Amino acid sequence: MDNRGILIVVSGFSGAGKGTLMKELLRRHPDTYALSISATTRSPREGEVDGREYFFISTEEFEKMIAKDGLIEYARYVENYYGTPRGYVEEKLGQGKDVILEIEIQGALKVKKAFPDTLLLFVTPPSASELKSRLVGRGTETMDVIRSRMDRACEEAQGMENYDYLIVNDDLDTCVEEMHSIIRAEHRKISRNAEFMEKIKEDLISLKGED
Amino acid sequence: MDNRGILIVVSGFSGAGKGTLMKELLRRHPDTYALSISATTRSPREGEVDGREYFFISTEEFEKMIAKDGLIEYARYVENYYGTPRGYVEEKLGQGKDVILEIEIQGALKVKKAFPDTLLLFVTPPSASELKSRLVGRGTETMDVIRSRMDRACEEAQGMENYDYLIVNDDLDTCVEEMHSIIRAEHRKISRNAEFMEKIKEDLISLKGED
């Protein structure tokens, strides 16, 4: 089968458990996947490590990367830049690793435009009431916080149709394996196996001539 | 998730082992899949049982089925009709079973046209030389027979691009599980989960109003 890795964007509701899911997927299949780390110009928060949560770089460095097309996608929120460095992604794809970007819908659509064979996965809890109870949390949040989280979830829901697959996160273990299967299946797509098919066609013709 | 079954067409090289693969898939997952049986006007061969290999019916009966749109696809080879009865397929899909049709490319394309969300799977051995050695068999075939099988394989190869996924049949056990995973993954496609998504959107809006 063709050897190049697949570029995968994972988005989903806040509170759907994307972080835990990614961590577990990479822990179980460290040789299959690579997690892309975003670059940002904002300052690290307490406990954040450069090269783990983000690459923390200066605005000047970030703008240099933009200028030399070194980012697959980027956006500016408030006064900070966030973006996906191109070098790491292309290196890992070339090595046959499936590269995962955990980004929001606007970024996802930009990536899909630049790389049309990107696989877009959307993570959701099994139901709206389950999502709400995760957003409400342990009862320590104010009504305002909960209301703004619910508003955000309604907005996030509008983007679902743009994705390729739904990942329903009910039980973590099942969900990790399901996500892994969906990506494995994707490698078998006809459109990702042009080389294999060309080869089998050519070989059939030359084997036919042989006897 | 949405409950309707998926219509699946399985085609592939003669000699790719489709028959064994289907049999094993159904044996392992009898509640998940239903195998559609074709109707034909040709006479049963030795060992063939009505309702197992085919439904053996008269030309008159077959033409009545055509007239009342009772076939999903049909074709006439030499002087016999072959076709897929609609009733069984729709009944099983409605029960949430994934229905498998094992038919050739012309039929596959007709089914896809009538049911655009049909999943098309193409079964291939891992290489052309492996295919050839399966076609050559145990050395009891004449050169002419082998040559005509190779010609046919070359034709079959031309149709591969029309399918959705390649199923590489190297080891039977792996192949059955891979085929099963591909179909499971297909159920998670965004386009097959319109109801689930509508529901989560509606519920989010009504839960937002609640607090």
Side-chain angles (χ1 to χ4, degrees):
Chain A
M1 311 301 287
D2 293 4
N3 250 340
R4 204 174 153 78
I6 296 179
L7 185 56
I8 302 157
V9 167
V10 177
S11 311
F13 292 114
S14 322
K18 293 188 294 290
T20 318
L21 188 57
M22 296 301 92
K23 228 174 169 175
E24 188 56 21
L25 185 73
L26 270 102
R27 195 188 64 74
R28 293 193 193 178
H29 309 281
D31 298 330
T32 307
Y33 300 110
L35 190 65
S36 155
I37 295 161
S38 299
T40 183
T41 56
R42 79 155 167 75
S43 311
R45 297 186 188 130
E46 214 189 305
E48 287 184 339
V49 176
D50 185 46
R52 191 179 71 187
E53 280 77 13
Y54 287 96
F55 292 110
F56 296 99
I57 63 179
S58 69
T59 304
E60 201 194 333
E61 287 172 300
F62 202 103
E63 288 173 346
K64 259 192 205 153
M65 288 182 86
I66 297 173
K68 62 176 192 189
D69 198 26
L71 296 160
I72 290 179
E73 56 81 36
Y74 70 93
R76 196 171 182 143
Y77 295 111
V78 199
E79 48 209 72
N80 291 305
Y81 282 121
Y82 295 80
T84 304
R86 182 185 299 275
Y88 177 85
V89 170
E90 300 214 322
E91 180 197 331
K92 294 296 168 182
L93 290 176
Q95 291 167 6
K97 294 223 180 191
D98 295 332
V99 179
I100 301 179
L101 319 183
E102 192 196 321
I103 52 180
E104 292 183 74
I105 180 161
Q106 280 75 14
L109 298 180
K110 284 183 200 167
V111 172
K112 182 85 181 178
K113 211 172 159 191
F115 297 88
D117 57 358
T118 302
L119 180 64
L120 301 183
L121 308 180
F122 191 92
V123 183
T124 174
S127 69
S129 56
E130 174 61 28
L131 178 58
K132 187 174 180 181
S133 69
R134 294 192 200 174
L135 295 179
V136 168
R138 285 163 298 180
T140 51
E141 304 292 355
T142 64
M143 254 344 194
D144 270 2
V145 168
I146 293 168
R147 220 170 275 133
S148 104
R149 286 182 182 171
M150 286 297 283
D151 282 340
R152 194 182 153 134
C154 287
E155 272 171 45
E156 288 163 339
Q158 297 310 317
M160 283 190 286
E161 272 89 353
N162 296 291
Y163 286 75
D164 296 310
Y165 291 91
L166 271 185
I167 310 286
V168 179
N169 190 5
D170 192 356
D171 169 67
L172 178 69
D173 185 58
T174 314
C175 186
V176 169
E177 284 318 307
E178 196 168 276
M179 186 167 164
H180 182 60
S181 301
I182 287 173
I183 300 167
R184 290 304 92 206
E186 187 70 16
H187 278 274
R188 297 306 192 181
K189 263 226 173 136
I190 289 285
S191 54
R192 298 194 191 270
N193 287 282
E195 276 174 42
F196 176 88
M197 292 189 296
E198 270 322 297
K199 181 150 176 32
I200 213 165
K201 281 187 207 170
E202 279 170 25
D203 290 355
L204 274 173
I205 290 168
S206 68
L207 283 171
K208 210 173 65 162
E210 253 177 31
D211 41 29
Chain B
M1 310 300 286
D2 292 5
N3 250 339
R4 206 175 151 75
I6 296 179
L7 185 57
I8 302 157
V9 167
V10 177
S11 310
F13 293 114
S14 322
K18 291 188 294 293
T20 318
L21 188 56
M22 295 301 91
K23 227 176 171 173
E24 188 56 21
L25 185 72
L26 268 102
R27 196 187 64 74
R28 293 192 194 180
H29 309 281
D31 298 330
T32 308
Y33 300 109
L35 190 64
S36 155
I37 294 161
S38 299
T40 182
T41 57
R42 78 155 167 77
S43 310
R45 296 186 190 130
E46 214 187 307
E48 286 184 338
V49 175
D50 185 47
R52 191 179 68 188
E53 280 78 13
Y54 287 97
F55 292 109
F56 296 100
I57 63 179
S58 69
T59 303
E60 203 194 332
E61 287 173 299
F62 202 101
E63 287 174 347
K64 259 191 205 153
M65 289 182 85
I66 297 174
K68 61 176 190 187
D69 199 24
L71 297 160
I72 290 179
E73 57 81 36
Y74 70 94
R76 195 171 182 142
Y77 296 111
V78 200
E79 49 208 74
N80 291 308
Y81 282 120
Y82 295 81
T84 304
R86 183 185 298 274
Y88 178 85
V89 169
E90 300 214 322
E91 180 196 332
K92 295 295 169 185
L93 290 177
Q95 291 168 5
K97 294 222 180 192
D98 295 332
V99 179
I100 301 179
L101 318 183
E102 192 196 320
I103 51 179
E104 291 182 75
I105 180 160
Q106 281 76 13
L109 298 181
K110 284 183 200 166
V111 172
K112 182 85 181 177
K113 213 173 158 190
F115 297 88
D117 57 359
T118 301
L119 180 64
L120 301 182
L121 307 181
F122 191 92
V123 183
T124 174
S127 68
S129 57
E130 174 61 28
L131 178 58
K132 187 174 180 180
S133 70
R134 294 190 199 176
L135 295 178
V136 168
R138 286 161 298 179
T140 51
E141 304 292 355
T142 65
M143 254 342 193
D144 270 2
V145 167
I146 293 167
R147 222 169 274 135
S148 104
R149 287 180 180 173
M150 286 298 282
D151 281 342
R152 191 181 155 135
C154 287
E155 272 172 45
E156 289 164 338
Q158 296 310 318
M160 282 191 287
E161 272 89 353
N162 296 291
Y163 286 75
D164 296 310
Y165 290 91
L166 272 185
I167 308 285
V168 180
N169 190 4
D170 193 354
D171 169 66
L172 178 68
D173 185 57
T174 313
C175 186
V176 168
E177 286 316 308
E178 196 167 277
M179 186 167 163
H180 182 60
S181 300
I182 286 173
I183 301 167
R184 288 306 92 205
E186 188 68 17
H187 278 274
R188 297 306 193 182
K189 262 224 175 137
I190 290 285
S191 55
R192 298 193 191 270
N193 288 281
E195 277 175 41
F196 176 88
M197 291 189 297
E198 270 322 296
K199 179 148 178 35
I200 213 165
K201 280 187 207 171
E202 279 169 25
D203 290 354
L204 275 173
I205 291 168
S206 67
L207 284 172
K208 212 173 64 162
E210 256 176 31
D211 54 26

